[in-house]
Amino acid sequence: MSLGEISQLLAWGATTAYAIALVAFAMDLARLADRMGVERARAGRSVLATAGAPGVPPAADDAPDAPAAVLASRTRAVGIAMATTTAGFGLHLAAAVTRGLAAGRVPWANMYEFALVGALVAVGVFLGLCRRRDLRFLGTIVVGIAVLALGVGLAVFYTPASAVEPALQSYWLVIHVSIAIVATGLFAVSFATSVLHLLKDSRAAGSPRLAGERWRALDVLPSTRELEALSFRVTAVGFVLWTFTVMAGAVWAEHTWGRYWGWDPKEVWSFVVWVVYAAYLHARTTRGWSGRRAAWFVVVGFATVVFNFTGVNLFFQGLHDYGGVPGGS
Amino acid sequence: MAGDEQTPRPPGTRPDDAPTLPAVGVVGLLRWTWRQLTSMRVALMLLMLLAVVAVPGSVLPQRPQSPADVARYLEDNPGLGPWLDRLGFFDVYASVWFSAVYLLLFVSLVGCIVPRLRLHLRAVRARPPRVPRRLERFAVHDEVVTDATPAQVLAAVEPVLRGPLARLPRFRTEVERSPRDGVAATVAAERGYLRETGNIAFHLALLGILVSVAAGQMLEYRGQAIVVEGRGFANAVTDYDTFEAGTFFDASTLVPFTMRLDRFTADFFADARPRDFVADVTLIDPSTGGEPRQREIRVNHPITAGGAKIYLQGNGYAPTVEIRDAAGELAFAGAVPFLPEDGVYTSRGVIKVPDVSTGPQIGLVGYLLPTAEVTPLGVRSVFPQPADPRLVLTVWSGDLGLDDGVPQNVYELDSEAMTQAVDDAGTPVTLVVEPGTPVELPDGLGTLTWTDLPRFVALDLRHDPALPWLAGFAVAALVGLAVSLFTPRRRIWLRVTERDGRTVVGAAALARGDDVGLPDELERVLRAVRDLDEGRE
Ligand code: HEM
């Protein structure tokens, strides 16, 4: 078995571990929600009575909704989830390293490798943040994105490891693409946070679709204000790194093609990503646009990031045309 | 100032006077427009609009990048195409509407940043806000009781607030001694002015980037030259195959360096994908002393000569041929670049022989196959390296049309006044030429000998005097952005009172926005007070 095949097996292993973690994270949230319901009922503020009825706001947001005792006594499921995520991360890291060794270069030169390393960074950022704050509630979405990225990467984008073409041989490739991948990982985390923010906010505002039992897990999350602040902080770091990515890309283009900017489809979409997140930063400080509306910018921003990594390589032709998808581009 | 629109209102206008604007007259209308344009909401709208108007350029073919694709699109869409063309959709980034959006955005930016700059300069010189009456009402507050005297407390606290750099204090600090009865001293401290400095620097740097790009486009030049192994290139407009320059470029400023291509090395994987390309050149550059120097140009590693960057953009083969005419006189000898058309370097070229001593002019059109494989269907190339090269040519004779003064494409044969050589059955004659073996041309036109197979490189030369400025502004933007996003704005207040022979230090801290580091910041200051007692024990 070649090193490249070992890498592929490791990547499948990581995907499996993440899938198990995903189930465990979801169970944890469900159990916590159950327990909280019990606590609330005991406290005489029965949410259960109203939660099923459409149109009735379950509980005001920012009320002391998650009794500290409940949050502190996390379920056994979350322990399993964190353990399998960490194990998956180990396999994932090994997959990326062996891929790089097999190709004799850094493992981020085609779409499969972007997906592989991008997901690695997202999970890494998540695990790293968890060491400092209890952000395990993000697990479902972050690990979910990782499963999706790895699964699609392995099933659709996979190409065997090989060295790159002359246009890609530059240390600017290493800098430009690695920072782009880290920024993408951060944007994935802030996307997850903002989605939870929007869902929780809608539930608190009495959205009939989110009023049901199934969405009770949202009550366990930190307040919308905290989610907003977290999303902003992660996006801010991602935005600075993305700004750097675009600039490093311009330097690379200058070195390779003799022009720093040529409105190649990839450049257009990197610019669109940048402008959307700049708009987000402005929206946060504009009267009438902060909160929910600003959170939508993070969602749209991540959609443009994902399109930049997938759609642009698949649908448009341009100089960045080495996604390496068989039959694609 | 957190979270609010930052535009100062012109004096004498009320916030609600917008609806009554016709009565205000032209000046009022202008003023109203300006205020709208420089408002945060409009800046936000313009940013969103900028993201939207940038997209069509990635969906539709663009004329500057791929004019052939635009022509094909226009052919395929005779109804919609011309309309899109008229509206500028095939050159989005030079279109009126795209330019309008970003120019408005930058006007808005200037209108936004200049008043902010003025406010900020005033704020930097102002004193930190006074100590509030009740410190307990802040979310982050604390109290320390110590045996040290108020003077000792102040002496301990001040260096912590100031930080290690005297010039760039961590906190701007204002100490008041005995402000009121019963209070020994108050300390008001504020940090984070750099946040706004960074923000303004970032926005101004964006403006600098825009101006640098525009200046670069007016002052730059770029040209392409094809250089065959063993041949040279001189940096003069006439030596370029194509040459473009900005409006304000002055051709007399070209530095007359010369360059010789000594050798070109190409390396491929077994499946014909390129592995590496290296061009070894000898450069004579008067701007750096004029001594001949050996340099190496690679795909990602341009060299600099006479202020211009030289990029390796493409490569191919330029077979050297000798052609003797019907009288046996040497009519042509030289290297002719054949342009590669695919990954295995199936290359197309034209050999034009105008200077015959007798008979019609000769034109040869066809392909070079670096590693030829002969099949029943014909010959084709299977690998880019010249393992078994062949030239496959058709032959034309007549008038090449070179004498009428109209510049011609050297890679195309103008066959209008020429006839193609055919055999007895009427099918065109195809010559398959091997290196070193002379071949008779049909119809007694003469003989052709393929003597050598050097390679050529296609070089891009480019000079943009604004690049250092662009780089400088880009770095300033990045640094300004990071400073502006990651500098916390914090205030710390202390009130020092004496009670029962001991000193009580009440403290509170406030941050702009959500700030996890705030309690730690306050604790760092109070630890200096607590340490006073430790030292005593
Ligand atoms: C060229 C387009 C622009 C871009 C790319 C841009 C980008 C940014 C970015 C990334 C930030 C976040 C930095 C921070 O929060 O400190 C920011 C902040 C800000 N921008 Fe812009 N900006 C642009 C134009 C404008 C314009 C036209 C205005 C004026 C209306 C403006 C006013 C502001 C203000 C007031 C902030 C500070 C927000 C705060 O205090 O948090 N910007 N801008």
Side-chain angles (χ1 to χ4, degrees):
Chain A
M1 196 157 65
S2 75
L3 206 54
E5 286 161 346
I6 294 176
S7 164
Q8 198 183 357
L9 270 187
L10 286 166
W12 277 117
T15 315
T16 314
Y18 289 153
I20 295 169
L22 182 61
V23 174
F25 273 124
M27 277 168 54
D28 168 55
L29 280 186
R31 294 239 179 95
L32 279 184
D34 278 348
R35 239 192 258 173
M36 183 131 66
V38 174
E39 290 285 326
R40 283 234 177 100
R42 199 178 292 156
R45 290 191 294 139
S46 172
V47 204
L48 297 175
T50 54
V56 181
D61 180 51
D62 288 350
D65 46 9
V70 171
L71 265 188
S73 73
R74 301 299 287 251
T75 62
R76 187 136 38 96
V78 83
I80 295 170
M82 288 304 283
T84 39
T85 304
T86 310
F89 183 73
L91 293 172
H92 198 161
L93 188 65
V97 170
T98 46
R99 174 83 185 183
L101 291 176
R105 55 171 168 73
V106 290
W108 46 78
N110 58 45
M111 285 180 63
Y112 166 65
E113 294 170 2
F114 290 150
L116 179 74
V117 181
L120 182 72
V121 171
V123 177
V125 167
F126 166 67
L127 287 175
L129 285 175
C130 278
R131 295 176 70 96
R132 296 186 34 202
R133 305 170 66 177
D134 186 4
L135 297 175
R136 290 178 292 187
F137 60 90
L138 281 179
T140 8
I141 296 193
V142 174
V143 172
I145 290 174
V147 171
L148 205 65
L150 278 177
V152 172
L154 284 162
V156 184
F157 299 149
Y158 187 79
T159 47
S162 68
V164 267
E165 304 178 6
L168 290 173
Q169 290 167 6
S170 160
Y171 56 91
W172 281 105
L173 163 76
V174 181
I175 298 173
H176 166 69
V177 184
S178 54
I179 300 297
I181 290 172
V182 175
T184 304
L186 288 164
F187 286 146
V189 173
S190 73
F191 165 76
T193 318
S194 281
V195 165
L196 292 178
H197 170 189
L198 286 169
L199 287 174
K200 188 172 165 97
D201 195 57
S202 292
R203 179 170 163 89
S207 156
R209 221 174 301 154
L210 296 175
E213 291 278 309
R214 259 184 311 145
W215 296 98
R216 232 167 354 133
L218 291 173
D219 298 341
V220 187
L221 304 183
S223 71
T224 49
R225 213 183 57 89
E226 281 172 81
L227 290 172
E228 204 283 327
L230 177 67
S231 177
F232 164 67
R233 226 167 302 126
V234 176
T235 309
V237 180
F239 183 74
V240 173
L241 293 184
W242 191 257
T243 307
F244 181 79
T245 299
V246 173
M247 287 176 180
V251 176
W252 181 29
E254 173 71 23
H255 273 245
T256 308
W257 300 311
R259 91 281 182 293
Y260 52 82
W261 197 265
W263 297 109
D264 168 76
K266 199 89 192 178
E267 289 167 338
V268 172
W269 279 90
S270 300
F271 176 74
V272 170
V273 167
W274 187 75
V275 173
V276 170
Y277 281 104
Y280 162 72
L281 292 174
H282 281 109
R284 278 189 86 246
T285 58
T286 305
R287 199 182 296 144
W289 281 83
S290 52
R292 271 189 81 78
R293 278 187 172 185
W296 276 108
F297 280 86
V298 178
V299 175
V300 173
F302 190 63
T304 59
V305 169
V306 170
F307 186 74
N308 194 22
F309 269 78
T310 58
V312 172
N313 298 23
L314 295 176
F315 302 140
F316 304 140
Q317 54 159 330
L319 287 168
H320 281 79
D321 204 8
Y322 23 61
V325 183
S329 53
Chain B
M1 62 201 285
D4 269 341
E5 307 222 4
Q6 305 289 346
T7 324
R9 197 172 293 127
T13 56
R14 287 174 296 117
D16 54 352
D17 62 358
T20 61
L21 105 218
V24 181
V26 178
V27 176
L29 182 66
L30 286 176
R31 212 181 253 174
W32 178 84
T33 311
W34 178 249
R35 211 165 63 227
Q36 289 300 309
L37 188 60
T38 57
S39 77
M40 200 67 178
R41 190 171 300 109
V42 170
L44 179 58
M45 298 292 169
L46 287 171
L47 272 173
M48 287 194 278
L49 207 55
L50 185 63
V52 172
V53 295
V55 171
S58 72
V59 180
L60 293 168
Q62 295 293 296
R63 203 162 267 133
Q65 284 87 2
S66 48
D69 289 344
V70 175
R72 198 170 322 124
Y73 187 93
L74 284 172
E75 231 165 73
D76 295 348
N77 301 277
L80 185 63
W83 278 104
L84 290 175
D85 200 10
R86 226 160 289 158
L87 293 173
F89 274 93
F90 299 118
D91 193 0
V92 165
Y93 307 103
S95 70
V96 179
W97 37 277
F98 186 80
S99 313
V101 172
Y102 76 75
L103 288 177
L104 274 179
L105 188 56
F106 276 95
V107 170
S108 164
L109 190 151
V110 171
C112 199
I113 285 308
V114 169
R116 271 180 82 117
L117 185 59
R118 214 177 305 130
L119 283 178
H120 182 52
L121 287 177
R122 206 176 311 149
V124 167
R125 275 179 261 125
R127 303 162 144 208
R130 301 182 62 103
V131 180
R133 220 155 241 294
R134 296 182 48 214
L135 294 177
E136 325 76 76
R137 108 191 134 76
F138 290 92
V140 178
H141 65 100
D142 203 349
E143 191 176 85
V144 180
V145 183
T146 169
D147 292 325
T149 65
Q152 284 171 321
V153 167
L154 289 179
V157 160
E158 272 180 290
V160 180
L161 287 170
R162 202 181 323 112
L165 304 172
R167 280 293 168 106
L168 199 66
R170 195 175 160 77
F171 275 88
R172 152 102 38 87
T173 310
E174 176 101 355
V175 178
E176 257 190 288
R177 281 161 224 275
S178 320
R180 284 187 286 115
D181 284 347
V183 178
T186 60
V187 179
E190 184 169 39
R191 68 173 288 194
Y193 299 91
L194 271 182
R195 188 184 183 96
E196 183 71 358
T197 312
N199 186 297
I200 291 171
F202 167 74
H203 284 88
L204 289 179
L206 289 184
L207 196 65
I209 288 175
L210 183 75
V211 172
S212 304
V213 170
Q217 278 174 2
M218 288 187 282
L219 295 169
E220 72 167 351
Y221 74 79
R222 65 166 65 234
Q224 274 208 326
I226 282 190
V227 185
V228 179
E229 270 179 308
R231 303 288 187 80
F233 165 81
N235 190 31
V237 174
T238 49
D239 230 24
Y240 284 95
D241 293 303
T242 62
F243 188 84
E244 293 162 30
T247 344
F248 295 117
F249 170 73
D250 174 5
S252 68
T253 59
L254 277 183
V255 179
F257 64 83
T258 58
M259 195 173 63
R260 209 179 84 100
L261 178 64
D262 300 322
R263 193 174 31 153
F264 177 74
T265 321
D267 194 7
F268 296 89
F269 291 102
D271 64 356
R273 280 182 310 118
R275 189 202 297 267
D276 201 10
F277 298 128
V278 186
D280 291 298
V281 298
T282 304
L283 181 71
I284 301 178
D285 184 354
S287 68
T288 54
E291 265 101 67
R293 279 180 303 148
Q294 311 293 320
R295 304 293 299 274
E296 195 181 274
I297 315 178
R298 290 162 170 272
V299 172
N300 264 307
H301 304 276
I303 62 167
T304 311
K309 283 219 191 83
I310 306 175
Y311 299 87
L312 180 58
Q313 206 61 36
N315 66 81
Y317 295 99
T320 314
V321 294
E322 265 180 31
I323 293 168
R324 291 180 182 277
D325 60 21
E329 299 288 330
L330 188 61
F332 179 87
V336 184
F338 275 54
L339 301 184
E341 293 192 334
D342 60 20
V344 287
Y345 282 54
T346 307
S347 311
R348 191 183 145 81
V350 177
I351 304 168
K352 297 181 188 179
V353 189
D355 300 325
V356 283
S357 66
T358 170
Q361 294 180 329
I362 306 167
L364 302 158
V365 183
Y367 284 94
L368 168 78
L369 312 169
T371 300
E373 186 186 66
V374 182
T375 67
L377 294 173
V379 271
R380 63 187 186 111
S381 183
V382 293
F383 199 69
Q385 298 286 33
D388 189 13
R390 292 286 185 286
L391 276 171
V392 181
L393 301 170
T394 56
V395 185
W396 300 70
S397 60
D399 181 0
L400 287 166
L402 294 173
D403 306 324
D404 52 13
V406 180
Q408 262 198 8
N409 184 339
V410 294
Y411 302 105
E412 295 294 337
L413 185 75
D414 179 4
S415 61
E416 200 162 294
M418 305 198 82
T419 45
Q420 189 170 20
V422 292
D423 62 16
D424 296 340
T427 42
V429 177
T430 304
L431 303 177
V432 178
V433 189
E434 288 178 42
T437 314
V439 173
E440 288 288 330
L441 300 179
D443 304 334
L445 289 168
T447 52
L448 178 151
T449 315
W450 177 5
T451 52
D452 197 7
L453 187 58
R455 298 181 189 250
F456 73 84
V457 294
L459 299 177
D460 260 5
L461 286 87
R462 166 136 194 266
H463 173 60
D464 180 349
L467 274 186
W469 290 94
L470 188 61
F473 283 122
V475 171
L478 195 63
V479 172
L481 179 68
V483 165
S484 127
L485 283 173
F486 305 133
T487 305
R489 279 203 75 155
R490 293 172 184 162
R491 288 170 185 174
I492 285 185
W493 292 291
L494 303 178
R495 178 173 291 119
V496 185
T497 44
E498 290 182 284
R499 194 196 302 150
D500 309 329
R502 303 187 79 196
T503 305
V504 181
V505 183
L510 180 69
R512 177 179 165 183
D514 183 81
D515 187 344
V516 276
L518 190 62
D520 286 344
E521 180 92 88
L522 184 61
E523 180 51 30
R524 206 172 10 249
V525 175
L526 291 181
R527 199 173 310 127
V529 180
R530 295 188 220 275
D531 285 349
L532 289 174
D533 284 341
E534 306 248 312
R536 207 166 291 231
E537 277 156 22

